Amino acid sequence: MTAHVAEGIRADLARCALGPVGLARARSSRAHIDRTANRDARNILFHLQKRGRLTIIQGDQLTTANAGDIVMADDSRPYTVEVSDRNECLILQVPADLLGDHLLRHDWHGQLLRASDPNLAFFDYMLRGLWDQRDMVEQIDDRMGGLLVDAARILCSRNVDCARIDAAAPLSPVEYALAHLGDPALGTALICDATGLSSRTVQKAFLRLAASTPTAFITERRLAGAADLLTACDRRITDIAFEVGFSDAAFFS
């Protein structure tokens, strides 16, 4: 791990272990961290964001977790972490083989688990409770670590199940727009063709689900994606404009 930080940064990292799992708390000012691949063992890391924002970047893939969310990483692969100012994160490290072969067939690197999942809220409660008792961790039965593995496995299983359900269901106009923001041709006409809905129905769907018109919604979401890229990586502004779906760099500016 290599941290690129400003002079005078305030940060601390504390760790403990319970049976097969590791638990850490990281607190930091703004930082950019490069992690090399772990060649000795493969672990899945659950970054539970307590305060601030954390972004995991690998190549062109960028995933951001806000307070209450979890973003996952596979430490057998190199990646970059960007943390916001006044950042705090709990990190659970689970040996990959404990998740089971059926879950490891799924790529968890950069997977985002939303705070709106009640199971994640319970997982959060377990991690915070254990961390608060870390001074007594040597007196806690190592088998308690297995409970954390079970909870992590449940979170992952639910995520896979929800992904299957979402994949089988037809996309709403708003969901279609979110999935195709990078397409410069995206607009009301394309959404109508893709969903088989009339222009009037598409307009009503955006008004009901997003309180916006399709054009305003698409522009706002593209700008939000561009803002994340501008703050998280050092790339030409024109390249970022084209990546998020703008076909005219001057219009983007």
Side-chain angles (χ1 to χ4, degrees):
M1 181 190 302
T2 303
H4 308 274
V5 300
E7 185 177 353
I9 185 174
R10 297 175 62 87
D12 67 77
L13 176 66
R15 294 176 288 187
C16 65
L18 185 60
V21 305
L23 184 62
R25 183 192 63 192
R27 297 185 298 191
S28 174
S29 305
R30 187 178 298 276
H32 174 107
I33 301 161
D34 293 323
R35 290 201 56 156
T36 58
N38 182 0
R39 302 300 183 190
D40 298 326
R42 182 186 178 194
N43 299 288
I44 304 299
L45 304 178
F46 296 73
H47 300 83
L48 174 60
Q49 211 44 31
K50 302 308 299 173
R51 186 172 58 179
R53 218 170 42 161
L54 182 145
T55 300
I56 286 183
I57 306 163
Q58 185 176 41
D60 291 333
Q61 180 184 356
L62 182 149
T63 308
T64 298
N66 295 302
D69 295 336
I70 286 177
V71 62
M72 299 170 64
D74 183 336
D75 74 356
S76 67
R77 301 159 64 175
Y79 59 95
T80 296
V81 178
E82 291 275 357
V83 298
S84 66
D85 203 19
R86 296 185 296 277
N87 196 281
E88 182 174 350
C89 180
L90 284 176
I91 306 162
L92 179 69
Q93 175 181 294
V94 178
D97 56 1
L98 294 183
L99 290 180
D101 291 340
H102 67 294
L103 288 178
L104 289 181
R105 286 194 288 269
H106 186 80
D107 183 7
W108 295 106
H109 194 71
Q111 183 72 53
L112 182 66
L113 308 180
R114 295 288 187 185
S116 55
D117 183 350
N119 295 276
L120 195 155
F122 184 71
F123 186 73
D124 181 344
Y125 182 80
M126 292 178 67
L127 289 190
R128 284 190 291 109
L130 175 59
W131 184 257
D132 290 343
Q133 300 298 322
R134 64 190 179 280
D135 291 340
M136 298 188 298
V137 72
E138 293 181 357
Q139 304 171 44
I140 299 176
D141 194 305
D142 283 350
R143 288 174 294 181
M144 291 294 184
L147 294 178
L148 292 176
V149 174
D150 288 341
R153 195 182 294 118
I154 290 170
L155 276 181
C156 292
S157 296
R158 280 184 54 83
N159 187 269
V160 171
D161 292 342
C162 290
R164 289 198 193 100
I165 293 171
D166 291 343
L171 293 178
S172 73
V174 174
E175 289 170 332
Y176 182 86
L178 287 172
H180 296 84
L181 288 173
D183 184 351
L186 181 65
T188 302
L190 181 60
I191 296 172
C192 290
D193 290 341
T195 61
L197 300 173
S198 68
S199 175
R200 182 177 177 81
T201 301
V202 168
Q203 295 278 352
K204 285 184 174 180
F206 273 88
L207 187 60
R208 184 179 72 255
L209 298 174
S212 179
T213 66
T215 300
F217 177 85
I218 291 166
T219 301
E220 180 183 342
R221 290 308 177 100
R222 283 173 171 168
L223 288 173
D228 284 338
L229 289 171
L230 285 166
T231 56
C233 56
D234 184 16
R235 296 171 55 189
R236 293 174 61 227
I237 291 177
T238 301
D239 293 340
I240 289 176
F242 291 149
E243 178 173 333
V244 298
F246 288 96
S247 58
D248 186 333
F251 176 68
F252 172 72
S253 297

